Amino acid sequence: LLLTLHWLFCQLWDFGRLLYRNAPPGPRPWPLVGSFGFMFVPKRLLALSSPVRRGLGVLAPHIFLTELGRYFGPIYSLYVGSRMLVVLNDFQLVREAMVTMADVFSDRPSVPMVTIITKRRGIVFAPYGPVWKQQRKFSHSTLRHFGLGKLSLETKIIEEFKYVKEEMLKNEIGRA
């Protein structure tokens, strides 16, 4: 039994190394929690580990990502659970990705639960392509018809809010 467990552990270790071989540099992920496993380790033990984790503790996300960028460079990978995320930590890289390579970076990740619920339809979770473009164009024209981007909608909202405010004040007086 012990020999079998050792063999299984070695196979999983080798498989993990194959997965991370082509990925950008980044903190080594933990099983189930991904790259955020350090959050479950006491600060004293973190000080003994790699330099990227020393002194970080629990930081605001933007500071944490900036610190990782200083250690690993402008492109690095993080794992949320078993899903790899590539972080671009430089304005020029983000611009190149979003402007010159927009078609490559326009799609959304496939999440099995969302796929089951939405059947990959709709604007938010649909894959990038001609169907998504058609749905987006239709949605924009429909929203414009209802006043999106026009000041006429603002006056209607303010008018309706007056009625809501009156009702709230009536209910407040009734309770007192």
Side-chain angles (χ1 to χ4, degrees):
L1 179 67
L2 191 59
L3 189 61
T4 305
L5 288 174
H6 177 69
W7 177 82
L8 183 63
F9 179 77
C10 289
Q11 293 298 318
L12 289 173
W13 186 265
D14 287 341
F15 180 71
R17 283 197 343 218
L18 285 174
L19 284 176
Y20 310 129
R21 184 176 56 200
N22 293 328
R28 179 124 174 130
W30 291 24
L32 300 176
V33 293
S35 298
F36 300 100
F38 71 91
M39 296 176 88
F40 303 109
V41 177
K43 286 186 179 182
R44 289 182 199 157
L45 292 177
L46 281 176
L48 301 173
S49 68
S50 73
V52 73
R53 295 183 182 111
R54 280 189 206 131
L56 284 181
V58 178
L59 295 175
H62 64 284
I63 296 172
F64 172 69
L65 293 173
T66 303
E67 291 297 319
L68 285 177
R70 286 186 187 140
Y71 186 76
F72 290 111
I75 301 175
Y76 57 92
S77 62
L78 286 176
Y79 284 81
V80 177
S82 62
R83 189 169 293 266
M84 182 177 73
L85 304 174
V86 176
V87 179
L88 304 176
N89 206 7
D90 181 49
F91 177 76
Q92 295 300 326
L93 289 172
V94 171
R95 182 181 176 134
E96 181 181 346
M98 296 299 172
V99 176
T100 60
M101 303 175 72
D103 289 344
V104 176
F105 290 95
S106 294
D107 211 355
R108 288 157 178 79
S110 177
V111 180
M113 189 58 140
V114 172
T115 304
I116 291 169
I117 293 170
T118 64
K119 297 180 178 59
R120 298 186 63 88
R121 294 190 182 123
I123 297 172
V124 178
F125 296 109
Y128 181 76
V131 174
W132 180 85
K133 288 179 182 178
Q134 182 183 12
Q135 290 176 345
R136 183 175 179 268
K137 187 183 286 188
F138 173 77
S139 298
H140 271 237
S141 65
T142 304
L143 289 171
R144 273 194 214 103
H145 175 71
F146 286 117
L148 179 71
K150 297 178 183 173
L151 294 178
S152 62
L153 190 60
E154 182 181 355
T155 56
K156 291 178 184 176
I157 292 172
I158 291 172
E159 183 181 338
E160 289 298 320
F161 185 72
K162 288 179 184 176
Y163 295 120
V164 172
K165 184 179 174 183
E166 287 175 13
E167 288 297 319
M168 290 175 73
L169 290 174
K170 284 181 191 176
N171 288 338
E172 189 67 31
I173 292 171
R175 281 191 227 162

